[in-house]
Amino acid sequence: MSTTELYGGAITINKLPSSFIDISRIRQVPDSQEVFINEVDSTNPTLSSLLTYDQALIIDLLERVNTNDYESAIAQHLQDFAPAGVHNNPLQELQISGGDETLYFSYVTFKPEYKRKEHNQAEQIIILICLLRLEKVGTDVLIQYNLPLKVEHHGSINFAGGDSEVDKLASERFEWFKNLCTSFKIIDWNLFQ
């Protein structure tokens, strides 16, 4: 299976679709991050009718926070990228095959605030989150997939495939995100030195 290389090949994930653009080709990103923007697939009517054009996949290598609890760790990391008052919603924990690391999946959702409302801005943001804690190198790997919705979804989101269009989108995108995160493979541990 082909892969996408991250951090100069020190880490790989499943090959990203061609609609994902590496932002480092456009602007500078911190050495600890890999950032991709996903162009909405106009051939998929559900995606193009529900999502704005600025979906983002962000892989961040962060200093490990001082807690052994995944929910507390996510809560501390949320302070860096989510508005105040946004809370973590746990989804699932998975073991990486062939390793003893656990992937912790969750999501947050919030209504963005704009100084001036413009065309095609998101009404609501869903951020899918995966946390991988690498204790031996003192690093938390935080993978975020931002889904900016054109519509506001009221109530909880059913990631197991509910009836609404937003539930169906969330379920499909979560399955894709899980598959991507479980493919996360460290090729060169020297990256963390």
Side-chain angles (χ1 to χ4, degrees):
M1 171 173 247
S2 66
T3 60
T4 296
E5 292 186 348
L6 307 173
Y7 303 99
I11 294 172
T12 62
I13 55 174
N14 283 349
K15 181 74 175 164
L16 290 173
S18 60
S19 59
F20 281 82
I21 300 166
D22 183 348
I23 287 301
S24 68
R25 294 180 180 176
I26 301 168
R27 65 172 175 82
Q28 192 169 1
V29 297
D31 290 342
S32 63
Q33 283 187 342
E34 293 280 354
V35 181
F36 299 88
I37 296 293
N38 186 23
E39 297 177 328
V40 174
D41 181 358
S42 60
T43 63
N44 184 329
T46 302
L47 287 181
S48 60
S49 69
L50 289 177
L51 293 173
T52 66
Y53 297 103
D54 49 1
Q55 298 172 58
L57 177 70
I58 304 165
I59 297 102
D60 222 340
L61 304 179
L62 302 167
E63 185 176 339
R64 183 179 161 89
V65 294
N66 190 19
T67 180
N68 290 326
D69 177 63
Y70 278 87
E71 288 192 42
S72 296
I74 288 276
Q76 290 181 49
H77 289 305
L78 277 177
Q79 295 173 16
D80 293 331
F81 66 88
V86 171
H87 299 287
N88 177 46
N89 299 284
L91 285 170
Q92 190 173 7
E93 286 185 31
L94 291 173
Q95 294 292 120
I96 294 182
S97 62
D100 58 0
E101 288 95 5
T102 298
L103 297 173
Y104 175 86
F105 292 96
S106 65
Y107 77 98
V108 297
T109 182
F110 57 92
K111 185 171 174 57
E113 294 182 18
Y114 300 108
K115 290 181 181 173
R116 189 177 65 189
K117 182 73 173 145
E118 295 179 13
H119 177 68
N120 206 29
Q121 287 180 315
E123 292 294 325
Q124 186 174 8
I125 309 272
I126 300 170
I127 302 178
L128 294 173
I129 301 166
C130 176
L131 177 63
L132 170 61
R133 310 204 72 203
L134 303 174
E135 188 172 352
K136 68 181 179 182
V137 290
T139 301
D140 282 345
V141 179
L142 192 69
I143 305 172
Q144 304 166 57
Y145 185 33
N146 300 346
L147 299 168
L149 298 177
K150 290 181 182 178
V151 297
E152 188 173 352
H153 180 77
H154 300 283
S156 62
I157 298 170
N158 185 345
F159 284 89
D163 294 333
S164 78
E165 288 297 312
V166 171
D167 289 338
K168 291 173 186 172
L169 170 77
S171 177
E172 185 270 329
R173 293 285 78 197
F174 180 52
E175 286 304 313
W176 177 85
F177 183 65
K178 263 196 316 193
N179 187 39
L180 179 81
C181 293
T182 55
S183 75
F184 186 92
K185 185 175 183 181
I186 298 168
I187 305 299
D188 184 1
W189 285 92
N190 290 322
L191 172 68
F192 301 98
Q193 294 182 354

